[in-house]
Amino acid sequence: MHVPDGFIDAPTSAATGLVAAGALAVSLRGARRELDERTAPLAGLVAAFIFAVQMLNFPVAAGTSGHLLGGALAAILVGPFTGVLCVSVVLLMQGILFADGGLTALGVNITDMAIVTTVVAYAVFRGLVKVLPRRRRSVTVASFTAALVSVPAAAVVFTLVYAVGGTTDVPIGKVATAMIGVHVLIGIGEAAITALTVGAVIAVRPDLVYGARGLRQRLKLRVDGELVDAPDAPAPVAARTSRRTLWLTGLATSLVLAGFVSFYASASPDGLAKVAHDQGIDKKEERHASADSPLAGYGVKDVSDARLSGGLAGVIGVGATVVAGSTVFWVVRRRRSASEPSPSRVA
């Protein structure tokens, strides 16, 4: 789904850039309310994990692969506003360091991959958790469904953007059919990864999952010989591991995925690249501004061994993303702390 330079014309790219900038400004303000001493460190890790898993392309059809977009996962783990920032940090690192996703198309990519996926996924997720039984398993089920819907939703938005500003003359009906069809399949993989990850975090630290906040256990009281519903009580939180251990485990997992497992990922083009080639959308693709980057193409320049080159690039990417993400969220958290009234002022 990373849109290269040249697919979308300059006016449309500029317009989506303004949309992305406005959404990021809103997200920075909204993230102040979502981030606290528990979730702020987790947010940087979520960005690094999304970067790592995006390197793991999985086959979805003959000659086509897909990878995690991450909007649903980020929104459910750390909140929708913070989720937009997480995916945006990933896209920025990929575009600048690895020449993945055009720089002039950065607004298109943030709008489509960060904003649309996060907003759609979280809306579906919140709607489901309100009607499903109040159990942790319901959070996992809602996560699966929300992630599944978010990917074809992003494909629809790309199709609309292409209809407005596409640089090649391809019938929009063909683009829509091809994009939505393949991304429904990719959505299944996205849903599985999201549900497994959310379920794993809930199993050890449910209190750290933003989407699981507010879950309540329905208690029964016997009044005059009859069982009646008691007022909602907070569900007990069983912290099976410390935040530090969870963070280190998540970072180690990200490094292993990006530095080792990624070598075995599918080499087939992803959904957008395949559709672009088949339909002729890529006829006016431009050379990436970061094509000469030492890490372009997810490899380290002058390292001849492909496995070592890709592994080093993955490790560097995870490190750069966790540092960049953690810095952003630390600053946002500090701004929240500075804006909160001190006890003396409240008194």
Side-chain angles (χ1 to χ4, degrees):
M1 192 71 75
H2 292 78
V3 179
D5 293 319
F7 277 26
I8 307 298
D9 63 26
T12 307
S13 296
T16 56
L18 292 176
V19 171
L24 290 176
V26 172
S27 296
L28 284 169
R29 293 182 62 86
R32 293 189 201 176
R33 300 189 297 270
E34 294 173 347
L35 294 170
D36 55 27
E37 67 280 356
R38 297 175 301 166
T39 56
L42 182 63
L45 177 62
V46 168
F49 182 78
I50 290 173
F51 174 90
V53 179
Q54 283 197 5
M55 293 184 67
L56 308 181
N57 281 48
F58 48 84
V60 294
T64 310
S65 70
H67 62 70
L68 181 81
L69 296 184
L73 178 62
I76 295 164
L77 287 180
V78 293
F81 293 108
T82 308
V84 169
L85 298 178
C86 281
V87 181
S88 298
V89 167
V90 173
L91 293 172
L92 191 61
M93 293 296 101
Q94 291 170 332
I96 293 175
L97 298 179
F98 299 93
D100 188 11
L103 295 185
T104 61
L106 187 59
V108 177
N109 286 322
I110 289 177
T111 300
D112 200 26
M113 295 178 65
I115 300 169
V116 171
T117 59
T118 301
V119 171
V120 170
Y122 199 70
V124 172
F125 175 82
R126 291 308 306 173
L128 288 174
V129 295
K130 288 181 179 180
V131 299
L132 290 173
R134 301 179 181 187
R135 300 172 183 170
R136 292 176 187 170
R137 183 178 300 177
S138 298
V139 176
T140 305
V141 172
S143 300
F144 183 96
T145 307
L148 177 62
V149 173
S150 70
V151 178
V156 170
V157 171
F158 168 80
T159 303
L160 295 175
V161 172
Y162 179 80
V164 173
T167 56
T168 52
D169 186 18
V170 179
I172 197 64
K174 290 185 176 181
V175 176
T177 300
M179 283 293 293
I180 296 171
V182 72
H183 284 90
V184 167
L185 298 177
I186 294 173
I188 297 173
E190 176 104 8
I193 295 170
T194 301
L196 288 172
T197 305
V198 171
V201 178
I202 284 181
V204 294
R205 288 302 299 263
D207 58 310
L208 296 182
V209 178
Y210 184 90
R213 294 180 181 181
L215 290 182
R216 298 290 185 266
Q217 282 186 323
R218 179 68 70 183
L219 301 179
K220 296 287 185 179
L221 295 178
R222 188 173 297 277
V223 178
D224 296 330
E226 296 183 1
L227 288 177
V228 297
D229 290 334
D232 286 345
V237 173
R240 300 183 183 179
T241 187
S242 67
R243 278 181 287 168
R244 179 184 178 86
T245 300
L246 177 65
W247 196 91
L248 291 174
T249 301
L251 180 61
T253 301
S254 301
L255 290 171
V256 170
L257 292 175
F260 177 72
V261 180
S262 62
F263 181 78
Y264 301 97
S266 173
S268 299
D270 65 17
L272 175 59
K274 177 66 172 175
V275 171
H277 177 74
D278 290 347
Q279 303 297 329
I281 297 175
D282 60 354
K283 290 180 180 178
K284 295 187 178 181
E285 180 178 350
E286 299 173 358
R287 188 173 184 270
H288 200 286
S290 298
D292 295 325
S293 165
L295 299 173
Y298 295 94
V300 178
K301 188 177 181 180
D302 298 329
V303 176
S304 58
D305 184 277
R307 180 175 297 185
L308 179 60
S309 177
L312 286 175
V315 169
I316 293 171
V318 167
T321 304
V322 77
V323 169
S326 297
T327 301
V328 169
F329 300 123
W330 179 80
V331 171
V332 172
R333 172 62 184 154
R334 285 289 298 261
R335 288 178 64 86
R336 168 179 168 168
S337 299
S339 64
E340 291 175 346
S342 63
S344 60
R345 290 180 182 177
V346 174

